[in-house]
Amino acid sequence: MTGHRPAARLNQFFRMSRLLAGQLDFLSAIRSVANEIADVVPHDHLDVCIVRLDGEVHSAYETGIDTAWGSKPNCPVAFSPIRALLMGEADHLISADATVDPQFHFEGAFVKPIHDHLLRSRIHLPMVVHGEVIGALSFSRHESGQYGNSDIRNGRYVAELLSPYFFALRAADEARQSAIVEAEARAREEGLRQGALRLTEALEAERQRLGMDLHDQTLADLTRLARRLERLSHAEPVDRSEIAAAGEALQASMAALRGIIDEAK
């Protein structure tokens, strides 16, 4: 390494920091520094894999090549081909040819993009904050055997630079999601409250209507019928047509009362 090379590399990391500043989402962040990273660790495909707070699922944000990894958010960590790294069981992963490397191939492993895009040479490095693995930085090239120890070392520098920023993005994203869930819960609660209020108002209006029907119609009819029967009980001689008419009136009142009862039910 020439004498000016360390200073040039340091300036490169400063440029990455400036490019990251103001990026508000994972995808924009990784794509903003992809060209600078390529000068440190050459790659055809670059992705950052972020593990969610529950440690069960992860999402990939990629640049260089768009693969199925980037189109499937919140995939189970257990099926990630780099699960050993994401679970803290490996310090790093390197492969001369990932298409045939058994460390990536196990039952259920989502390795289709490796074969679809011929991502043979691969390096995977942990992104660690406060001793927690929050994700992984992955480099891939089409040709086999392209990476060595110097690439691992340089890749670690990049991972250490990116980790705090992506940790902050994850915290902001989780807070945003929590706020959305809370707002939705409040909206559902308010909807239920308003619905219950409207139902109570409707029930009260229906109760008043039924009360008016009973008072203004059925009770009034029965009162008139009672007076009519009272007159008939003292009439001489008994007028059978009047009795029949009273019976019909009674049947009508009973039918009306049944209708009101049915509506109440």
Side-chain angles (χ1 to χ4, degrees):
M1 183 178 289
T2 60
H4 71 279
R5 189 58 178 167
R9 184 70 77 209
L10 184 60
N11 287 331
Q12 201 163 32
F13 288 142
F14 284 150
R15 285 196 297 274
M16 289 184 199
S17 296
R18 289 194 294 270
L19 289 168
L20 284 171
Q23 303 298 333
L24 301 179
D25 63 88
F26 299 108
L27 190 59
S28 297
I30 190 59
R31 291 185 174 179
S32 71
V33 293
N35 290 335
E36 294 293 332
I37 293 174
D39 289 337
V40 180
V41 180
H43 57 268
D44 296 310
H45 176 263
L46 173 70
D47 76 78
V48 168
C49 176
I50 300 297
V51 178
R52 296 301 172 181
L53 287 180
D54 60 7
E56 299 296 325
V57 297
H58 69 287
S59 299
Y61 306 91
E62 54 192 0
T63 183
I65 301 172
D66 293 327
T67 76
W69 285 323
S71 64
K72 291 187 177 182
N74 298 325
C75 293
V77 169
F79 297 145
S80 170
I82 60 169
R83 66 182 182 183
L85 191 74
L86 298 177
M87 294 178 178
E89 298 170 358
D91 177 69
H92 70 276
L93 299 174
I94 184 169
S95 178
D97 189 348
T99 61
V100 295
D101 194 330
Q103 69 180 326
F104 299 123
H105 297 266
F106 51 84
E107 186 175 357
F110 185 30
V111 295
K112 189 173 182 293
I114 292 177
H115 299 282
D116 287 349
H117 303 281
L118 297 178
L119 305 177
R120 294 189 174 92
S121 296
R122 306 202 80 201
I123 299 176
H124 307 276
L125 300 163
M127 299 174 68
V128 181
V129 177
H130 302 312
E132 174 197 357
V133 177
I134 67 161
L137 179 63
S138 301
F139 305 88
S140 301
R141 300 195 71 177
H142 296 308
E143 299 83 5
S144 301
Q146 296 297 302
Y147 292 130
N149 290 333
S150 62
D151 296 302
I152 293 174
R153 183 180 62 252
N154 291 335
R156 286 192 193 279
Y157 296 146
V158 176
E160 289 174 3
L161 174 68
L162 298 182
S163 294
Y165 198 86
F166 277 82
F167 177 79
L169 284 179
R170 186 182 72 166
D173 190 57
E174 294 288 349
R176 194 160 46 243
Q177 292 301 321
S178 295
I180 291 172
V181 170
E182 184 178 347
E184 289 175 345
R186 285 199 301 267
R188 286 194 297 270
E189 182 179 342
E190 179 62 16
L192 289 172
R193 190 185 70 81
Q194 291 292 337
L197 178 61
R198 288 193 294 271
L199 178 59
T200 301
E201 292 173 346
L203 288 172
E204 177 59 22
E206 187 66 7
R207 186 191 67 79
Q208 292 181 8
R209 187 186 69 78
L210 291 172
M212 292 178 64
D213 285 349
L214 285 170
H215 181 273
D216 296 343
Q217 178 181 332
T218 306
L219 186 58
D221 290 344
L222 290 174
T223 299
R224 286 192 296 272
L225 182 58
R227 290 172 180 169
R228 187 174 184 181
L229 291 173
E230 177 68 19
R231 288 195 304 272
L232 286 174
S233 66
H234 298 293
E236 288 292 344
V238 175
D239 188 340
R240 294 188 177 279
S241 63
E242 278 291 319
I243 293 176
E248 291 175 0
L250 179 60
Q251 292 294 330
S253 293
M254 291 172 61
L257 183 58
R258 278 194 295 270
I260 292 173
I261 292 172
D262 288 341
E263 283 191 57
K265 289 181 179 179

